[in-house]
Amino acid sequence: FRPPRRPAIPAIRHRARLRTPVDAFILARIEAAGIVPAAEADRRTLLRRLSFDLLGLPPSPEQIDVFLTDTAPDAYERLVDRLLASPAHGERWGQHWLDVVRYADSDGFEYDDPRPNAWRYRDWVIDSLNDDKPFDRFVDEQFAADELFPGDRVALAALGLHRLGPLRLNAGMQDEAMNRQELLTEIVDVVGSAFLGLTLGCARCHDHKFDPLPQADYYRLQAFFAATVPQDIPLIPAAEL
């Protein structure tokens, strides 16, 4: 692995199109290819792009009228703030995270039994995005909410991350130790792909062929989860239950 280095901002011809330094890198590639930059989007198109991107929904006629008639210099910035403040923003972008961490409402495989309480993790993800939860806290709660924040009952739903994977339950596979090992393997694999951007699963059987990951590191990481056990925690007092 190499540490990231800040590259020099490239010189470009269409300097009037610059809004941020990132634009310079995009325009440099466009100019190198001999392509003339497209014209800026009109306000109606800009609104539709933002709405679909941030909410996954088209703007309403009322939203269109409000934005088209707003002539203030910061109209665009306030539009972005309004869309980010919508509950639909967490629902739209929470879907991306739920896909990465293999969220499902059933076990998969042959029986594919329903998971009636999986939605609590789904809602925790959506609420975390809508509440602007810092990413480090977002990560910590999913890995060890019970250890780091034992008094926070809302955060405990984040531990659903470790119970989202496919669960093989059938008459032909009764070796509990092997089933347990398959679950641990699946947890480590998703930690690598979702949080580290690495295919850790390759190091389960041998040192990684492409990344600097020895097999020993794979099992060091798995050891963090090896002592865990699944537990259902009721949200009402025992007497009422």
Side-chain angles (χ1 to χ4, degrees):
F1 294 117
R2 293 177 304 209
R5 302 184 185 279
R6 184 178 297 277
I9 298 176
I12 59 170
R13 296 193 300 274
H14 297 85
R15 296 192 58 80
R17 301 298 300 272
L18 286 180
R19 297 292 186 276
T20 72
V22 174
D23 295 336
F25 292 90
I26 299 172
L27 288 168
R29 293 290 297 272
I30 290 175
E31 293 176 356
I35 301 172
V36 177
E40 292 193 7
D42 59 63
R43 290 171 67 86
R44 184 185 296 270
T45 301
L46 194 61
L47 172 59
R48 285 181 60 81
R49 288 177 180 173
L50 275 172
S51 187
F52 275 114
D53 188 35
L54 296 182
L55 308 184
L57 300 167
S60 67
E62 293 77 17
Q63 290 173 321
I64 295 174
D65 291 340
V66 168
F67 183 59
L68 293 183
T69 57
D70 189 346
T71 59
D74 63 342
Y76 175 80
E77 286 76 9
R78 286 188 289 107
L79 169 64
V80 172
D81 288 339
R82 286 198 300 273
L83 296 180
L84 290 176
S86 168
H89 175 254
E91 295 163 3
R92 159 71 167 167
W93 283 91
Q95 179 68 58
H96 295 296
W97 183 255
L98 294 171
D99 286 345
V100 168
V101 296
R102 81 280 193 237
Y103 175 84
D105 289 303
S106 61
D107 288 344
F109 287 119
E110 292 86 347
Y111 293 165
D112 199 24
D113 289 335
R115 295 175 173 174
N117 295 312
W119 63 270
R120 294 192 183 280
Y121 175 82
R122 178 202 66 198
D123 283 13
W124 174 87
V125 170
I126 293 171
D127 292 342
S128 295
L129 291 175
N130 282 331
D131 293 342
D132 276 342
K133 181 172 293 179
F135 187 69
D136 56 347
R137 174 78 184 219
F138 182 73
V139 172
D140 287 346
E141 289 185 10
Q142 291 179 86
F143 279 155
D146 55 333
E147 297 284 351
L148 299 175
F149 318 108
D152 190 339
R153 296 183 69 82
V154 174
L156 291 178
L159 296 173
L161 169 78
H162 306 299
R163 299 179 70 173
L164 296 179
L167 188 61
R168 185 183 292 278
L169 296 171
N170 60 42
M173 188 57 191
Q174 297 296 323
D175 189 330
E176 292 189 9
M178 183 174 292
N179 285 337
R180 172 65 174 163
Q181 189 61 38
E182 289 298 323
L183 288 175
L184 289 173
T185 295
E186 203 273 335
I187 290 174
V188 174
D189 288 353
V190 80
V191 167
S193 61
F195 294 90
L196 303 177
L198 296 171
T199 53
L200 293 180
C202 301
R204 178 188 183 188
C205 303
H206 51 70
D207 291 349
H208 204 293
K209 301 297 185 184
F210 306 106
D211 293 322
L213 294 167
Q215 187 182 26
D217 278 355
Y218 179 91
Y219 288 98
R220 288 187 183 105
L221 179 58
Q222 190 180 97
F224 282 105
F225 306 104
T228 62
V229 293
Q231 182 179 359
D232 294 326
I233 301 175
L235 299 179
I236 58 176
E240 184 177 348
L241 181 63

